[in-house]
Amino acid sequence: MYKQQKISLILPTYNEKESIRKVIHDFEELGFIDEILVINNNAAEGTSEEVQPTSAIEIHEFVQGYGAAIQRGFAEATGDLVVVCEPDDTFLARDIYKFLAYADDVDIIYGSRTVKTFIWERANMGFLLKWGNWFVAKLLEVLFNTNYLSDVGCTYRMIRREALLKMLPTFKVQSNFFGPEMIVRGYRMNIRCIQIPVNYRERVGHSSVTGDLRKAVLLGIQMAVLIIAMRFGLERWMLKVIR
């Protein structure tokens, strides 16, 4: 509990067997996380065995996709404040305090991995990934007249339960494009949002998306197209293509 509010943590997992137990323990050691939900999205063999000794509850989501896994977590979470994080050890559990500092004033706090001061040595945030994320974020900021944005692909975020219940029925994207969809829908619904810098470290293991530069660049282009489509009323067509 934090200020009499129940905290739920969602960890969507696909290829994080080598790091997920450590990440769970890092959050457990904070002492105030009430519920940890691991969403097993057809994860690597042995992942369940890593989760089993911890306090986390494992839930299997068989519809493949980053968005599908997070939305399943949102549907299962019972906390007043719901946090989403990657279990690949790129983020610091203690950065949750940064999110909590804003939780009384806004409904959604998004993390950003593109602030130079917080990018650790050997983190997978090279020139193209950093500025590609920044460019797509600025595109969204301009088209939807949002607050300051500098990253559309950061999983680390916190949402207040009341806002989540409003947004959950509107989500459509089940794939890796879920990040910008959530940001756009939040601003469209006039939900109070802010983005803050978080620490970003070297990943344990290989990422199926950002580990391949060509895939990462293609994903960035597709995210930009989705944002433009949502701005000009073409999202139904676009979602048929990328869902």
Side-chain angles (χ1 to χ4, degrees):
M1 297 283 283
Y2 179 83
K3 293 184 177 179
Q4 304 304 310
Q5 298 173 102
K6 182 177 180 180
I7 311 293
S8 293
L9 172 69
I10 298 168
L11 297 173
T13 183
Y14 176 69
N15 190 30
E16 292 84 18
K17 181 184 74 171
E18 303 301 325
S19 57
I20 191 165
R21 189 189 301 192
K22 176 185 179 298
V23 171
I24 293 170
H25 284 160
D26 287 347
F27 278 99
E28 288 174 331
E29 288 177 357
L30 294 174
F32 59 82
I33 306 298
D34 300 285
E35 177 180 66
I36 301 177
L37 303 178
V38 170
I39 310 302
N40 185 323
N41 195 211
N42 307 303
E45 185 177 353
T47 299
S48 296
E49 288 74 11
E50 293 297 314
V51 175
Q52 194 276 329
T54 73
S55 65
I57 300 169
E58 184 178 26
I59 298 169
H60 289 265
E61 174 53 60
F62 297 106
V63 176
Q64 190 62 51
Y66 170 81
I70 293 177
Q71 288 170 56
R72 178 63 183 276
F74 280 157
E76 298 283 350
T78 61
D80 302 301
L81 297 171
V82 180
V83 180
V84 185
C85 190
E86 292 277 5
D88 59 6
D89 206 31
T90 51
F91 298 112
L92 295 179
R94 62 176 169 81
D95 270 352
I96 193 173
Y97 289 108
K98 297 179 182 179
F99 294 87
L100 290 168
Y102 288 91
D104 290 338
D105 297 314
V106 297
D107 299 304
I108 309 175
I109 305 100
Y110 298 104
S112 172
R113 307 160 296 168
T114 62
V115 177
K116 183 178 180 180
T117 304
F118 298 100
I119 301 174
W120 290 38
E121 186 178 358
R122 301 184 68 182
N124 186 23
M125 190 54 66
F127 182 87
L128 286 177
L129 283 175
K130 175 182 176 179
W131 292 106
N133 265 292
W134 183 89
F135 173 80
V136 177
K138 290 304 171 188
L139 176 68
L140 194 158
E141 182 180 334
V142 170
L143 290 181
F144 291 92
N145 191 29
T146 70
N147 294 337
Y148 172 85
L149 295 173
S150 61
D151 191 356
V152 291
C154 182
T155 300
Y156 211 172
R157 59 192 60 192
M158 175 184 287
I159 181 168
R160 187 168 288 282
R161 183 164 191 80
E162 295 85 353
L164 177 58
L165 293 176
K166 291 178 184 177
M167 294 182 68
L168 191 56
T170 71
F171 294 143
K172 307 296 183 186
V173 175
Q174 297 181 332
S175 66
N176 290 322
F177 305 96
F178 176 71
E181 184 203 20
M182 181 175 173
I183 295 174
V184 169
R185 296 201 187 282
Y187 279 109
R188 273 186 166 178
M189 297 174 72
N190 295 315
I191 294 173
R192 297 172 301 170
C193 311
I194 195 170
Q195 189 165 67
I196 62 173
V198 294
N199 286 282
Y200 192 60
R201 305 187 294 184
E202 180 181 13
R203 177 191 167 98
V204 175
H206 180 75
S207 170
S208 59
V209 179
T210 58
D212 184 323
L213 185 58
R214 288 175 297 179
K215 286 184 180 180
V217 170
L218 178 60
L219 177 62
I221 293 170
Q222 292 170 320
M223 282 182 172
V225 173
L226 172 63
I227 290 165
I228 293 170
M230 293 183 76
R231 175 63 180 84
F232 294 104
L234 301 172
E235 62 183 279
R236 183 174 298 180
W237 165 79
M238 185 63 185
L239 289 171
K240 289 180 180 179
V241 178
I242 67 166
R243 182 174 182 175

